[in-house]
């Protein structure tokens, strides 16, 4: 039951981030957008691993990697602007 709740929360976070971006409330280049996607995808990874849904798990691992890469890119840009 707990694993399913984690999966549902993950789904809600990913869809919420997408909806907020589509409706112009959250930039696709914002830290909040990336963090919502990372948190949501981690919840989905936990759920899909538990249920042995490996293809879905891999997609979410890639999703997390992309979002982490974007976060690092933004942090690097922010660091360069401060000098």
């Amino acid at each position: 039951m707990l694993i399913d709740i984690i999966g549902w929360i993950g789904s809600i976070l990913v869809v919420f981030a997408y909806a907020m971006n589509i409706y112009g409330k959250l930039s696709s280049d914002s830290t909040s957008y990336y963090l919502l996607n990372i948190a949501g995808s981690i919840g989905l990874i936990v759920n899909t691993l538990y249920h042995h849904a490996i293809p879905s798990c891999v997609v979410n691992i890639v999703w997390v990697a992309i979002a982490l890469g974007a976060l690092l890119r933004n942090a690097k840009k922010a660091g360069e602007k401060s000098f």
Side-chain angles (χ1 to χ4, degrees):
M1 176 80 165
L2 177 61
I3 297 295
D4 288 330
I5 292 169
I6 291 169
W8 277 108
I9 291 169
S11 295
I12 290 166
L13 291 174
V14 170
V15 171
F16 177 74
Y18 180 69
M20 292 296 100
N21 176 252
I22 292 298
Y23 292 112
K25 305 293 183 186
L26 196 58
S27 167
S28 64
D29 200 29
S30 70
T31 300
S32 297
Y33 182 75
Y34 298 136
L35 292 175
L36 284 167
N37 275 292
I38 290 167
S41 291
I42 289 171
L44 290 167
I45 289 167
V46 169
N47 182 271
T48 55
L49 276 175
Y50 179 82
H51 291 290
H52 305 289
I54 302 306
S56 295
C57 182
V58 170
V59 167
N60 283 289
I61 290 170
V62 170
W63 200 263
V64 167
I66 291 168
L68 285 173
L71 271 177
L72 292 173
R73 181 195 67 215
N74 282 359
K76 183 179 176 184
K77 283 183 186 177
E80 290 171 356
K81 288 180 183 177
S82 66
F83 289 108

